[in-house]
PDB file of all heavy atoms in Angstrom:
ATOM      1  N   ALA A 422       2.927 -96.087  29.755  1.00 79.00           N
ATOM      2  CA  ALA A 422       2.149 -96.029  28.530  1.00 79.00           C
ATOM      3  C   ALA A 422       0.676 -96.302  28.843  1.00 79.00           C
ATOM      4  O   ALA A 422       0.329 -96.828  29.901  1.00 79.00           O
ATOM      5  CB  ALA A 422       2.671 -97.056  27.536  1.00 79.00           C
ATOM      6  N   ARG A 423      -0.129 -95.927  27.906  1.00 81.00           N
ATOM      7  CA  ARG A 423      -1.568 -96.118  28.052  1.00 81.00           C
ATOM      8  C   ARG A 423      -2.020 -96.980  26.887  1.00 81.00           C
ATOM      9  O   ARG A 423      -1.554 -96.790  25.765  1.00 81.00           O
ATOM     10  CB  ARG A 423      -2.235 -94.751  27.986  1.00 81.00           C
ATOM     11  CG  ARG A 423      -3.611 -94.702  28.560  1.00 81.00           C
ATOM     12  CD  ARG A 423      -4.005 -93.272  28.695  1.00 81.00           C
ATOM     13  NE  ARG A 423      -4.321 -92.722  27.353  1.00 81.00           N
ATOM     14  CZ  ARG A 423      -5.152 -91.686  27.178  1.00 81.00           C
ATOM     15  NH1 ARG A 423      -5.698 -91.093  28.225  1.00 81.00           N
ATOM     16  NH2 ARG A 423      -5.405 -91.237  25.981  1.00 81.00           N
ATOM     17  N   ALA A 424      -2.920 -97.915  27.160  1.00 81.00           N
ATOM     18  CA  ALA A 424      -3.365 -98.786  26.065  1.00 81.00           C
ATOM     19  C   ALA A 424      -4.775 -99.305  26.358  1.00 81.00           C
ATOM     20  O   ALA A 424      -5.337 -99.048  27.424  1.00 81.00           O
ATOM     21  CB  ALA A 424      -2.399 -99.958  25.914  1.00 81.00           C
ATOM     22  N   ARG A 425      -5.310 -99.983  25.390  1.00 81.00           N
ATOM     23  CA  ARG A 425      -6.576-100.700  25.605  1.00 81.00           C
ATOM     24  C   ARG A 425      -6.388-102.147  25.219  1.00 81.00           C
ATOM     25  O   ARG A 425      -5.612-102.451  24.314  1.00 81.00           O
ATOM     26  CB  ARG A 425      -7.683-100.096  24.735  1.00 81.00           C
ATOM     27  CG  ARG A 425      -8.408 -98.981  25.406  1.00 81.00           C
ATOM     28  CD  ARG A 425      -9.516 -98.440  24.544  1.00 81.00           C
ATOM     29  NE  ARG A 425      -9.926 -97.143  25.027  1.00 81.00           N
ATOM     30  CZ  ARG A 425     -10.710 -96.984  26.106  1.00 81.00           C
ATOM     31  NH1 ARG A 425     -11.173 -98.031  26.769  1.00 81.00           N
ATOM     32  NH2 ARG A 425     -11.026 -95.760  26.507  1.00 81.00           N
ATOM     33  N   THR A 426      -7.102-102.976  25.926  1.00 80.00           N
ATOM     34  CA  THR A 426      -7.046-104.387  25.546  1.00 80.00           C
ATOM     35  C   THR A 426      -7.853-104.591  24.284  1.00 80.00           C
ATOM     36  O   THR A 426      -8.583-103.714  23.843  1.00 80.00           O
ATOM     37  CB  THR A 426      -7.638-105.280  26.649  1.00 80.00           C
ATOM     38  OG1 THR A 426      -9.004-104.905  26.790  1.00 80.00           O
ATOM     39  CG2 THR A 426      -6.892-105.089  27.940  1.00 80.00           C
ATOM     40  N   GLY A 427      -7.736-105.788  23.739  1.00 80.00           N
ATOM     41  CA  GLY A 427      -8.568-106.134  22.595  1.00 80.00           C
ATOM     42  C   GLY A 427     -10.001-106.396  23.047  1.00 80.00           C
ATOM     43  O   GLY A 427     -10.332-106.310  24.242  1.00 80.00           O
ATOM     44  N   THR A 428     -10.868-106.760  22.085  1.00 78.00           N
ATOM     45  CA  THR A 428     -12.263-107.002  22.437  1.00 78.00           C
ATOM     46  C   THR A 428     -12.750-108.381  22.005  1.00 78.00           C
ATOM     47  O   THR A 428     -13.916-108.721  22.190  1.00 78.00           O
ATOM     48  CB  THR A 428     -13.168-105.940  21.778  1.00 78.00           C
ATOM     49  OG1 THR A 428     -12.840-105.872  20.391  1.00 78.00           O
ATOM     50  CG2 THR A 428     -12.964-104.594  22.415  1.00 78.00           C
ATOM     51  N   GLU A 429     -11.878-109.126  21.369  1.00 78.00           N
ATOM     52  CA  GLU A 429     -12.312-110.445  20.910  1.00 78.00           C
ATOM     53  C   GLU A 429     -12.384-111.419  22.079  1.00 78.00           C
ATOM     54  O   GLU A 429     -11.363-111.907  22.553  1.00 78.00           O
ATOM     55  CB  GLU A 429     -11.338-110.984  19.837  1.00 78.00           C
ATOM     56  CG  GLU A 429     -11.705-110.533  18.453  1.00 78.00           C
ATOM     57  CD  GLU A 429     -10.704-111.008  17.424  1.00 78.00           C
ATOM     58  OE1 GLU A 429     -10.206-112.133  17.559  1.00 78.00           O
ATOM     59  OE2 GLU A 429     -10.384-110.196  16.521  1.00 78.00           O
ATOM     60  N   ALA A 430     -13.560-111.621  22.551  1.00 78.00           N
ATOM     61  CA  ALA A 430     -13.724-112.403  23.781  1.00 78.00           C
ATOM     62  C   ALA A 430     -14.181-113.817  23.475  1.00 78.00           C
ATOM     63  O   ALA A 430     -14.915-114.069  22.516  1.00 78.00           O
ATOM     64  CB  ALA A 430     -14.739-111.716  24.693  1.00 78.00           C
ATOM     65  N   THR A 431     -13.720-114.731  24.286  1.00 81.00           N
ATOM     66  CA  THR A 431     -14.245-116.092  24.219  1.00 81.00           C
ATOM     67  C   THR A 431     -15.027-116.353  25.497  1.00 81.00           C
ATOM     68  O   THR A 431     -14.512-116.128  26.599  1.00 81.00           O
ATOM     69  CB  THR A 431     -13.111-117.122  24.106  1.00 81.00           C
ATOM     70  OG1 THR A 431     -12.062-116.735  24.997  1.00 81.00           O
ATOM     71  CG2 THR A 431     -12.546-117.175  22.708  1.00 81.00           C
ATOM     72  N   PRO A 432     -16.276-116.760  25.354  1.00 81.00           N
ATOM     73  CA  PRO A 432     -17.076-117.024  26.561  1.00 81.00           C
ATOM     74  C   PRO A 432     -16.445-118.169  27.336  1.00 81.00           C
ATOM     75  O   PRO A 432     -15.949-119.143  26.771  1.00 81.00           O
ATOM     76  CB  PRO A 432     -18.444-117.406  25.995  1.00 81.00           C
ATOM     77  CG  PRO A 432     -18.387-117.108  24.530  1.00 81.00           C
ATOM     78  CD  PRO A 432     -16.978-117.061  24.109  1.00 81.00           C
ATOM     79  N   GLU A 433     -16.494-118.067  28.630  1.00 78.00           N
ATOM     80  CA  GLU A 433     -15.865-119.092  29.458  1.00 78.00           C
ATOM     81  C   GLU A 433     -16.636-119.163  30.762  1.00 78.00           C
ATOM     82  O   GLU A 433     -16.454-118.326  31.657  1.00 78.00           O
ATOM     83  CB  GLU A 433     -14.405-118.710  29.701  1.00 78.00           C
ATOM     84  CG  GLU A 433     -13.548-119.803  30.308  1.00 78.00           C
ATOM     85  CD  GLU A 433     -12.161-119.292  30.672  1.00 78.00           C
ATOM     86  OE1 GLU A 433     -12.027-118.749  31.785  1.00 78.00           O
ATOM     87  OE2 GLU A 433     -11.233-119.394  29.866  1.00 78.00           O
ATOM     88  N   GLY A 434     -17.516-120.067  30.778  1.00 76.00           N
ATOM     89  CA  GLY A 434     -18.309-120.299  32.000  1.00 76.00           C
ATOM     90  C   GLY A 434     -18.992-119.044  32.491  1.00 76.00           C
ATOM     91  O   GLY A 434     -18.812-118.651  33.641  1.00 76.00           O
ATOM     92  N   GLY A 435     -19.763-118.392  31.615  1.00 77.00           N
ATOM     93  CA  GLY A 435     -20.512-117.208  32.045  1.00 77.00           C
ATOM     94  C   GLY A 435     -19.692-115.943  32.044  1.00 77.00           C
ATOM     95  O   GLY A 435     -20.204-114.843  32.133  1.00 77.00           O
ATOM     96  N   LEU A 436     -18.410-116.074  31.951  1.00 82.00           N
ATOM     97  CA  LEU A 436     -17.551-114.892  31.859  1.00 82.00           C
ATOM     98  C   LEU A 436     -16.964-114.807  30.460  1.00 82.00           C
ATOM     99  O   LEU A 436     -17.007-115.768  29.689  1.00 82.00           O
ATOM    100  CB  LEU A 436     -16.427-114.982  32.886  1.00 82.00           C
ATOM    101  CG  LEU A 436     -16.840-115.058  34.350  1.00 82.00           C
ATOM    102  CD1 LEU A 436     -15.640-115.373  35.221  1.00 82.00           C
ATOM    103  CD2 LEU A 436     -17.503-113.765  34.798  1.00 82.00           C
ATOM    104  N   TYR A 437     -16.430-113.666  30.190  1.00 83.00           N
ATOM    105  CA  TYR A 437     -15.764-113.527  28.889  1.00 83.00           C
ATOM    106  C   TYR A 437     -14.273-113.389  29.134  1.00 83.00           C
ATOM    107  O   TYR A 437     -13.844-112.693  30.038  1.00 83.00           O
ATOM    108  CB  TYR A 437     -16.293-112.304  28.135  1.00 83.00           C
ATOM    109  CG  TYR A 437     -17.753-112.474  27.795  1.00 83.00           C
ATOM    110  CD1 TYR A 437     -18.752-112.087  28.670  1.00 83.00           C
ATOM    111  CD2 TYR A 437     -18.105-113.053  26.556  1.00 83.00           C
ATOM    112  CE1 TYR A 437     -20.076-112.265  28.355  1.00 83.00           C
ATOM    113  CE2 TYR A 437     -19.444-113.217  26.243  1.00 83.00           C
ATOM    114  CZ  TYR A 437     -20.434-112.828  27.128  1.00 83.00           C
ATOM    115  OH  TYR A 437     -21.737-112.994  26.835  1.00 83.00           O
ATOM    116  N   ARG A 438     -13.512-114.053  28.335  1.00 84.00           N
ATOM    117  CA  ARG A 438     -12.058-114.016  28.496  1.00 84.00           C
ATOM    118  C   ARG A 438     -11.439-113.360  27.256  1.00 84.00           C
ATOM    119  O   ARG A 438     -11.659-113.782  26.134  1.00 84.00           O
ATOM    120  CB  ARG A 438     -11.548-115.449  28.637  1.00 84.00           C
ATOM    121  CG  ARG A 438     -10.049-115.556  28.849  1.00 84.00           C
ATOM    122  CD  ARG A 438      -9.647-117.032  28.764  1.00 84.00           C
ATOM    123  NE  ARG A 438      -8.219-117.197  28.859  1.00 84.00           N
ATOM    124  CZ  ARG A 438      -7.593-117.460  30.013  1.00 84.00           C
ATOM    125  NH1 ARG A 438      -8.270-117.613  31.139  1.00 84.00           N
ATOM    126  NH2 ARG A 438      -6.269-117.586  30.027  1.00 84.00           N
ATOM    127  N   VAL A 439     -10.668-112.331  27.506  1.00 84.00           N
ATOM    128  CA  VAL A 439      -9.967-111.662  26.400  1.00 84.00           C
ATOM    129  C   VAL A 439      -8.463-111.858  26.618  1.00 84.00           C
ATOM    130  O   VAL A 439      -7.953-111.577  27.691  1.00 84.00           O
ATOM    131  CB  VAL A 439     -10.292-110.158  26.374  1.00 84.00           C
ATOM    132  CG1 VAL A 439      -9.547-109.476  25.230  1.00 84.00           C
ATOM    133  CG2 VAL A 439     -11.782-109.943  26.260  1.00 84.00           C
ATOM    134  N   GLU A 440      -7.806-112.353  25.602  1.00 82.00           N
ATOM    135  CA  GLU A 440      -6.351-112.536  25.709  1.00 82.00           C
ATOM    136  C   GLU A 440      -5.656-111.773  24.595  1.00 82.00           C
ATOM    137  O   GLU A 440      -6.225-111.547  23.533  1.00 82.00           O
ATOM    138  CB  GLU A 440      -5.998-114.028  25.594  1.00 82.00           C
ATOM    139  CG  GLU A 440      -6.276-114.801  26.855  1.00 82.00           C
ATOM    140  CD  GLU A 440      -5.752-116.218  26.748  1.00 82.00           C
ATOM    141  OE1 GLU A 440      -4.592-116.351  26.291  1.00 82.00           O
ATOM    142  OE2 GLU A 440      -6.497-117.139  27.081  1.00 82.00           O
ATOM    143  N   GLY A 441      -4.420-111.449  24.848  1.00 82.00           N
ATOM    144  CA  GLY A 441      -3.660-110.761  23.797  1.00 82.00           C
ATOM    145  C   GLY A 441      -2.335-110.249  24.340  1.00 82.00           C
ATOM    146  O   GLY A 441      -1.953-110.572  25.470  1.00 82.00           O
ATOM    147  N   VAL A 442      -1.679-109.517  23.501  1.00 81.00           N
ATOM    148  CA  VAL A 442      -0.419-108.878  23.926  1.00 81.00           C
ATOM    149  C   VAL A 442      -0.641-107.371  23.887  1.00 81.00           C
ATOM    150  O   VAL A 442      -1.087-106.821  22.876  1.00 81.00           O
ATOM    151  CB  VAL A 442       0.739-109.278  23.001  1.00 81.00           C
ATOM    152  CG1 VAL A 442       2.013-108.560  23.400  1.00 81.00           C
ATOM    153  CG2 VAL A 442       0.938-110.779  23.026  1.00 81.00           C
TER     154      VAL A 442
END
Side-chain angles (χ1 to χ4, degrees):
Chain A
R423 199 168 74 154
R425 271 182 197 283
T426 62
T428 50
E429 273 177 37
T431 42
E433 192 187 86
L436 300 171
Y437 296 88
R438 182 188 176 95
V439 179
E440 283 187 46
V442 177

